[in-house]
Amino acid sequence: MKYTRLPNTNIRVSKICLGTMTWGRQNSEEEGHAQMDFALDKGVNFFDTAELYPVPAKKELYAVTEEIIGRWFVKTGNREKVVLATKIAGNGDYTKFIRTTGFAKDALITAVEGSLKRLQTDYIDLYQLHWPERDTNYFGKRGYDADQHDFWEDNIHQVLETLRDLVRQGKIREVGISNETPWGAMRYLEESKVHQDLPRMQTIQNPYNLLNRLFEVGLSEVAMRERIGLLAYSPLGFGTLSGKYLGEVPPRKGRVTLFPQYNRYSNENAVAATRKYAALAEEHGLSLAQMALAFVNTRPFLTSNIIGATSLEQLDENIASINITLPNTVLEGIEEIHNTIPNPSP
């Protein structure tokens, strides 16, 4: 395994992060525990979860993933071996069963307290805002349609004040954002520069993969100049960059098969690009999954690559990508495909 640190901290994390959003829906508790055992044995010390998980979100399964992790901590005594990240859910039609108050002070406090209880821990290493409260470009939205009612105002100062108090209480160590834009990232960073008693956003968890490299437009410069590290999620694009959906019969238990609404990486251009990437990987004796993950692992703005798997075989292959060095011929081939079909899945 290779390691880095959460930016501006002494918290050492593996460059492969274990994603958990299938546990409690696609994966059983037993399988989730087996994945944590396996990953930790392979040197993965960074786990990412959220109160929203498992996905797709469902009222009856609210925060089950955190509970699964908490019971594993109790069973194994491995809490101190893991850097633990979780998130508060943002507003949305599919999160109304959680709360409708966004990142208001009471909402943040309640969310943190709930996560601590379910995770059976006294502290969270990295606490993240799952997506912005404001209406903006996240989850694949292309055009920008400003909501005039909240266009000129935000509550970022108040959010950071609440997070500061939770840090001072020892309940969280560091904070981060997710599904953010360049403006949102800079707004948070500038607020903590001007008001130095406020915590600094250390990481940004956004999608990044061969089919969606939009992080490179704007946010990569922010990440590198401002030292806010990318936690790349969906590095295999819902599993499409494993190539398993290219056949005539889709895998019965695949996420896109089970939940066809997750079609972000399944449009015509995305399928065409995936076929080209698959051919490139085969030409160089690589699996498509490992080529796709190895590409993400090499990005200079990356802090950690969040992988997800529904089997130990997939998990083993994904973790092993950390040891793959892509030759220049592969990197050049990736750029050629990207220039031909750029970002088909924003």
Side-chain angles (χ1 to χ4, degrees):
M1 184 47 59
K2 296 176 183 176
Y3 298 89
T4 184
R5 296 186 187 277
L6 295 184
N8 315 293
T9 80
N10 291 319
I11 300 176
R12 182 172 177 263
V13 294
S14 49
K15 288 200 76 171
I16 297 291
C17 175
L18 181 63
T20 64
M21 71 178 185
T22 61
W23 304 349
R25 190 147 188 180
Q26 283 181 264
N27 285 111
S28 67
E29 178 164 338
E30 182 181 4
E31 289 169 334
H33 285 193
Q35 286 193 30
M36 287 184 278
D37 290 337
F38 186 89
L40 194 63
D41 185 61
K42 292 290 185 179
V44 175
N45 76 334
F46 192 17
F47 296 178
D48 178 74
T49 192
E51 67 168 344
L52 184 72
Y53 297 165
V55 293
K58 192 177 182 181
K59 183 177 181 179
E60 304 84 74
L61 296 176
Y62 167 60
V64 163
T65 305
E66 287 189 329
E67 294 173 350
I68 289 172
I69 297 170
R71 287 191 284 269
W72 181 80
F73 283 147
V74 171
K75 181 177 74 172
T76 64
N78 282 335
R79 174 64 186 95
E80 297 305 314
K81 296 180 181 179
V82 171
V83 177
L84 178 64
T86 191
K87 315 176 195 75
I88 178 175
N91 283 330
D93 289 340
Y94 54 96
T95 57
K96 288 179 179 177
F97 67 87
I98 301 175
R99 70 183 66 83
T100 59
T101 50
F103 304 146
K105 181 176 181 178
D106 289 347
L108 274 164
I109 293 171
T110 300
V112 168
E113 295 287 357
S115 288
L116 288 171
K117 183 177 180 179
R118 290 185 293 268
L119 291 162
Q120 301 198 52
T121 183
D122 295 328
Y123 66 98
I124 296 162
D125 295 289
L126 177 65
Y127 196 68
Q128 303 156 99
L129 310 178
H130 208 153
W131 60 87
E133 287 182 287
R134 67 190 189 280
D135 182 23
T136 189
N137 299 60
Y138 55 85
F139 296 150
K141 184 176 179 180
R142 284 186 182 270
Y144 181 70
D145 182 17
D147 180 348
Q148 295 299 318
H149 294 292
D150 64 5
F151 188 79
W152 300 112
E153 296 181 5
D154 64 61
N155 65 344
I156 284 174
H157 186 92
Q158 174 246 299
V159 168
L160 289 174
E161 282 187 326
T162 306
L163 292 172
R164 175 200 62 199
D165 294 344
L166 290 163
V167 170
R168 288 175 176 175
Q169 293 165 21
K171 294 176 180 178
I172 57 179
R173 297 178 68 189
E174 300 293 342
V175 293
I177 47 182
S178 182
N179 296 295
E180 260 296 0
T181 65
W183 182 87
M186 287 303 302
R187 179 73 183 84
Y188 274 105
L189 292 170
E190 287 300 312
E191 193 70 17
S192 60
K193 284 181 184 178
V194 173
H195 304 278
Q196 296 186 7
D197 66 318
L198 298 179
R200 182 187 194 279
M201 293 298 182
Q202 309 290 25
T203 57
I204 177 168
Q205 184 175 149
N206 274 34
Y208 185 78
N209 55 59
L210 291 175
L211 302 176
N212 180 352
R213 292 169 56 178
L214 288 177
F215 191 88
E216 296 173 9
V217 184
L219 274 168
S220 61
E221 183 176 17
V222 173
M224 296 178 73
R225 290 185 183 274
E226 300 292 329
R227 298 188 66 205
I228 179 171
L230 172 64
L231 306 181
Y233 80 78
S234 287
L236 291 180
F238 299 162
T240 59
L241 285 167
S242 69
K244 63 185 178 183
Y245 297 107
L246 293 178
E248 291 186 8
V249 180
R252 183 170 58 88
K253 293 185 178 181
R255 187 182 311 164
V256 177
T257 308
L258 293 171
F259 312 115
Q261 68 270 33
Y262 286 163
N263 57 8
R264 185 172 182 175
Y265 299 99
S266 303
N267 63 71
E268 184 178 343
N269 285 338
V271 172
T274 300
R275 291 191 186 282
K276 289 179 179 292
Y277 287 122
L280 177 66
E282 184 178 9
E283 178 185 345
H284 291 274
L286 296 165
S287 77
L288 174 56
Q290 288 195 325
M291 184 185 81
L293 291 171
F295 174 77
V296 176
N297 292 341
T298 63
R299 301 300 90 187
F301 41 77
L302 181 80
T303 290
S304 196
N305 187 359
I306 305 174
I307 61 169
T310 52
S311 71
L312 292 181
E313 291 75 18
Q314 291 174 348
L315 187 59
D316 190 20
E317 179 183 24
N318 292 352
I319 292 173
S321 70
I322 197 66
N323 296 314
I324 293 176
T325 301
L326 296 178
N328 286 336
T329 50
V330 172
L331 293 173
E332 290 166 0
I334 288 173
E335 292 306 315
E336 183 177 345
I337 296 168
H338 176 63
N339 289 333
T340 303
I341 312 177
N343 298 314
S345 303

